[in-house]
Amino acid sequence: MKVIIFGATGTIGHALVREAIKRKHEVTAAVRNPQRMTEQSEYLTVVQADILNPNSVTEAAAGHDAIISAYGPTFGAEEELLEATRSLLEGTGRSGVGRILVVGGAGSLKTENGERLMDTAEFPEEIKPLAAARAEAFELYRTADVDWTYCSPAGMIEPGKRTGHFRIGLDHLVVDELGHSRISVEDYAVALMDELVAGEFVNSRFTVGY
């Protein structure tokens, strides 16, 4: 498939690029600063684009089978996530690309008692603004005129190993037998790339964890 990835130089975005290359997809990394993309491959094209500019999104995305957004705002600029979401949706609508896959957040996932993770007492106060912005962005995708898939990670996501073994959930947090919710960045990338091809969660949200 031919896929364009916005936010490709971030931790998750870079993992997605590597996983897509591994599967021999035609990958376009859409980044503000092309010099930050250190990955090299015959399957990779790097273009300069601004996800906050709908015209830039349209120009960069045209001709691709799908868009992946791994965009994440800097700390303290969480409101940019909503701006980026609106820009991405507007630009996509004009580009002719019919599907968006989104690297989402875990905060709006439900816990065992039905409470959102971001509303629990244990949820870190400092990341609540980002969780709230991601929850609002999720609602924007739910009403979008394009086919979308929103992939929420586990409660904890960090670099680790690519095992290819994990469990899939929908709107509830995936936890292990000890109640922990975690996934490696590498296995998250595997799950999202699996979905790119399988299309099992079109116009819905899914989550992944061990």
Side-chain angles (χ1 to χ4, degrees), residues 70-86:
Y71 171 80
T74 57
F75 187 75
E78 292 82 6
E79 69 281 355
E80 277 194 3
L81 180 64
L82 297 177
E83 182 183 351
T85 300
R86 294 186 181 98

Side-chain angles (χ1 to χ4, degrees), residues 3-205:
V3 59
I4 183 168
I5 301 175
F6 287 87
T9 56
T11 301
I12 296 177
H14 202 168
L16 288 166
V17 169
R18 289 193 297 266
E19 184 65 28
I21 289 172
K22 181 181 179 69
R23 300 179 187 216
K24 299 183 179 179
H25 292 308
E26 294 181 54
V27 188
T28 300
V31 297
R32 289 183 181 179
N33 182 1
Q35 293 181 342
R36 291 186 59 198
M37 175 49 67
T38 57
E39 197 75 26
Q40 294 184 344
S41 168
E42 62 181 302
Y43 299 105
L44 176 64
T45 301
V46 181
V47 299
Q48 187 172 21
D50 183 2
I51 197 173
L52 299 177
N53 184 327
N55 293 329
S56 182
V57 171
T58 299
E59 182 178 354
H64 291 81
D65 297 313
I67 295 170
I68 295 177
S69 174
Y71 171 80
T74 57
F75 187 75
E78 292 82 6
E79 69 281 355
E80 277 194 3
L81 180 64
L82 297 177
E83 182 183 351
T85 300
R86 294 186 181 98
S87 173
L88 182 63
L89 289 171
E90 181 182 340
T92 299
R94 298 199 301 254
S95 71
V97 182
R99 189 177 184 209
I100 300 176
L101 295 93
V102 183
V103 174
S108 58
L109 290 170
K110 295 179 181 178
T111 59
E112 187 177 14
N113 65 6
E115 186 179 22
R116 292 188 306 176
L117 179 63
M118 61 187 287
D119 296 328
T120 62
E122 298 81 12
F123 196 80
E125 193 69 31
E126 63 272 16
I127 61 174
K128 281 187 177 180
L130 177 58
R134 289 200 180 279
E136 288 186 56
F138 175 47
E139 294 303 318
L140 292 177
Y141 286 112
R142 289 180 64 185
T143 58
D145 291 330
V146 299
D147 287 339
W148 58 273
T149 298
Y150 191 93
C151 183
S152 290
M156 175 66 72
I157 179 169
E158 57 189 359
K161 294 182 179 180
R162 182 190 188 279
T163 70
H165 299 289
F166 43 78
R167 291 180 294 141
I168 297 291
L170 296 176
D171 289 318
H172 282 78
L173 198 67
V174 175
V175 298
D176 62 19
E177 63 277 5
L178 298 177
H180 300 147
S181 179
R182 59 188 183 86
I183 190 72
S184 72
V185 170
E186 292 80 2
D187 276 341
Y188 176 90
V190 171
L192 194 58
M193 284 299 160
D194 285 350
E195 171 58 22
L196 171 67
V197 175
E200 294 184 12
F201 300 102
V202 176
N203 295 328
S204 64
R205 186 248 293 271

